[in-house]
Amino acid sequence: MYLVLVILVVIVCTLLGLIVLIQNPKGGGLSSNFSSSSQLMGVQKTGDFLEKGTWVLAIILMVLALAINIATKGGVTKADSQYNEQIQKSLKAPANAPAAFPTAPATTPGQAPAPAKK
């Protein structure tokens, strides 16, 4: 179920990206004052279709994201529990395990180290 939902999300994201790239920019910059030819016969209808398609795909993407969240909250699988056991074992190191880094002999601050015997 999870894999099917992830595949659907990838397909929807690809379609959404393509639809957004196909659309004409609707910015209100300087170019919008000089080009009035973009509203010729049928261009507005195509823009409306692409805008509705964008909204539909965005809503489908949100619903699929929620569905994936619900599908993964169903419980811990056997593989997940094996990983959790390995993590717990690695966190519980034995008390007599050697330190990761060698330490220098302990001296108190202000105390000079003992002179070496000759």
Side-chain angles (χ1 to χ4, degrees), residues 61-74:
L61 182 62
M62 285 187 264
V63 169
L64 285 173
L66 291 173
I68 288 174
N69 190 17
I70 292 171
T72 58
K73 296 287 184 184

Side-chain angles (χ1 to χ4, degrees), residues 23-57:
Q23 292 180 14
N24 286 330
K26 297 179 183 176
L30 289 174
S31 64
S32 66
N33 294 334
F34 299 112
S35 63
S36 61
S37 64
S38 64
Q39 298 297 327
L40 293 176
M41 309 268 270
V43 174
Q44 184 64 33
K45 298 270 186 196
T46 304
D48 289 343
F49 173 74
L50 291 175
E51 186 176 349
K52 287 179 184 175
T54 302
W55 280 106
V56 167
L57 287 174

Side-chain angles (χ1 to χ4, degrees), residues 78-113:
K78 185 176 181 180
D80 289 340
S81 64
Q82 289 174 352
Y83 291 133
N84 286 337
E85 288 174 9
Q86 289 178 355
I87 291 170
Q88 293 301 324
K89 285 179 184 177
S90 66
L91 290 177
K92 295 179 182 177
N96 59 1
F101 299 106
T103 58
T107 59
T108 59
Q111 178 185 20

